[in-house]
Amino acid sequence: HNMQAEEIMEKKIASAMEVCKKYNRIKADGKKAEAVWKYNLDMAADAKYPKETEMYEEYADKALAGFKASIKWLKIVDRAMRMVLPYEAEQVLIQHFVEGKPLKSIRGGRNQYMSRTTATKYKKIGIQKLADNISSVEADLKKLEETLENSL
């Protein structure tokens, strides 16, 4: 029975790490979708024929859906990260998993560097707590990712 629980936790942790890896890409793709949306709005406004206007408006709608999906995705993940306690565990999550800093370069409370041992301890706590926070919204995140990908 315990093996099963461990396997489930491992899967959850792998998903949480995947989410951290995707964070910056989702942010960048969202900015791309926003640019595409604005571009197509401009093109629609300058179009000479109704069919042309309609086409650009359709592109704009699709890009806007992707842009909105990225904002929602980031909000959900940010909220899940902010719920991670203690503060040090949240900091390791953000700085190590999202920003990609090595464990010896993590700043904790009062902006001081953590020892590698401390950072390693909080890395485990942080990713486990994020995994728990994210498991209930995982399906939503996947849908939002698809909406974003389809808009680009």
Side-chain angles (χ1 to χ4, degrees), residues 16-137:
M17 289 172 94
E18 202 51 46
V19 163
C20 291
K21 271 201 204 105
K22 282 178 191 164
Y23 190 96
N24 292 315
R25 198 194 72 222
I26 299 280
K27 204 176 202 170
D29 285 351
K31 285 202 184 349
K32 230 183 281 177
E34 182 185 18
V36 171
W37 167 56
K38 288 179 174 168
Y39 169 81
N40 283 299
L41 282 182
D42 288 344
M43 294 301 283
D46 293 342
K48 286 175 178 54
Y49 308 103
K51 270 266 177 275
E52 200 185 355
T53 305
E54 206 176 298
M55 180 185 76
Y56 285 118
E57 280 172 353
E58 245 168 67
Y59 293 156
D61 286 343
K62 199 174 176 189
L64 178 59
F67 176 42
K68 282 182 173 169
S70 75
I71 291 171
K72 201 167 179 193
W73 191 99
L74 292 165
K75 249 193 198 145
I76 291 170
V77 174
D78 284 339
R79 190 183 309 127
M81 284 187 180
R82 273 200 308 273
M83 284 163 55
V84 168
L85 290 168
Y87 171 79
E88 290 80 3
E90 181 199 6
Q91 287 309 302
V92 174
L93 257 187
I94 294 167
Q95 295 175 44
H96 178 68
F97 288 108
V98 177
E99 294 170 5
K101 288 182 186 159
L103 285 173
K104 60 180 194 291
S105 313
I106 308 293
R107 290 178 182 275
R110 294 191 300 282
N111 212 16
Q112 289 173 335
Y113 285 109
M114 284 182 204
S115 75
R116 207 200 166 99
T117 316
T118 304
T120 303
K121 179 182 89 176
Y122 285 123
K123 170 187 166 182
K124 261 187 91 161
I125 296 169
I127 201 71
Q128 280 185 341
K129 295 207 172 173
L130 180 66
D132 284 333
N133 296 348
I134 249 165
S135 63
S136 62
V137 293

